[in-house]
Amino acid sequence: MDIRIKELLDTTQQKYGLDNYYLHSHEIYHDVTMLGETNYFLSMEWFPAHMKEWKGDYNPEGTAVITIDLQSRNYKSVIFVGGKTYANGTPFQNMDFNGVIRWIEAEARVVYGKQFHLEKEQIGEYHFIEKIGSIPVTPGGRIELRFDAEGRLVFYSVYGQFPSSSLVHKENYTLTLQTIEPQARKQLQLLEYPVYETKQLLPIYGIEEIYITNDGTTTIPFEFISGTRERLNIDQVMHWEQQNTELEPFERKEISLLEVVPIEQAIASEPHPDSFPITDAEQAECIAAVEAGLSQLYPDESGEWILKTLQRERGHIQATLRMKAPSNRIFQRKILLFIDVQNYKIINYMDNKPMLDTFDEFKSEGEIAVSHDEAYDKLKGWFELTPVYVYDPGQKKYVLCGKLDCNYAVKATSRDVVELSSLELLII
């Protein structure tokens, strides 16, 4: 065993009181942040000492699953399976809220009130969310801490970037609902909402969540910042000649979800393959690969698909496609193609058509009785515009935006204003 890894294992065992545990397994994996930085992690599984002969396919109750960032030496997660621990020590016994804050600040190296804020708490459990000052961040970080009745740690997790002030473009928030009215009108859409209970498609007018930059000139769709990888926008309609029907059927290749790497790679801090931008040459190769893949998988649908984005994902390049003619349904058709960067061939794909096909038997409910303008007037009093810092890949900074959203919708057949949460209950 590498002496540097042995040192971290020994430190972990001592820090978390794992005298009644033995190391069952460990591995190193890496990922890339949306800032393009490569992180290496040591993941450990410590089994309770009395579980020497464990042969199950899952970790036994009380197992300590611990992950540490090899560069910062910050622990990203400490999880005791089933909320059961055999560790020594009761660090949270009689600890008040201020003590919990001090523990997290020291452990995660973040500052309460500046980088994270309390979201909710209950006995022995705390949830925190990432904020810059008092303003939320997206994609946002989270911190969770739980301990048992004796004050023993059973769950600790840190997720997200928690950026330094140098990565934040701070300014005074100036957006109002009046100044962004043109964007709000565009975001109000007539959609068919599936109601499982009655097997109907309910037409509603609703707002599609979006972020508007503080100067009011640019919008950032919600889906573009929901992931962590930087996307390359393409927006190209795909055309192809019909393939030879005698070709062998497409065969998927498995894509690994966890990227385990050797210690030498971690010590050398090699950049993750996903940290590099997609070059013009790679873009051209990927577009050709998408065209070839679609011609085989969807031979009769030339001209019906738009290649929206390309992004690196787990050592491959992922292509996202949408239908050229979208439907009015709330769930839209989408295809993901995974491209091997060694030979620029499609090796796997995902299509949400099987899920959408379940709505084909649903019937539309009545005639549309509300115009777009009337629906806007009914809903505008319920619109919410809240400040939020959004990561902008172009600037590589967090920029101040207004998040436009609405928790209500207008039933297009009856003119009734309803809470979206009441509709969500209908589709469970």
Side-chain angles (χ1 to χ4, degrees), residues 12 16 32 36 39 78-79 93 134 164 200 210 226 265 321 347 419:
T12 299
Y16 293 105
V32 61
N39 289 331
V78 181
I79 301 170
Q93 191 176 50
S134 61
S164 64
Q200 287 183 309
I210 200 167
S226 58
Q265 185 173 334
L321 295 106
I347 59 171
E419 279 193 81

Side-chain angles (χ1 to χ4, degrees), residues 10-58:
D10 292 343
T11 299
T12 299
Q13 187 171 29
Q14 181 179 3
K15 179 180 177 69
Y16 293 105
L18 304 179
D19 298 332
N20 299 320
Y21 285 78
Y22 69 95
L23 183 67
H24 175 262
S25 64
H26 71 284
E27 59 189 10
I28 296 172
Y29 68 93
H30 65 165
D31 69 9
V32 61
T33 72
M34 63 185 179
L35 302 177
E37 300 168 343
T38 301
N39 289 331
Y40 285 88
F41 301 94
L42 172 63
S43 178
M44 302 161 265
E45 292 182 345
W46 297 83
F47 275 19
H50 62 277
M51 295 288 185
K52 291 286 188 183
E53 302 301 323
W54 183 260
K55 295 181 179 180
D57 295 330
Y58 54 91

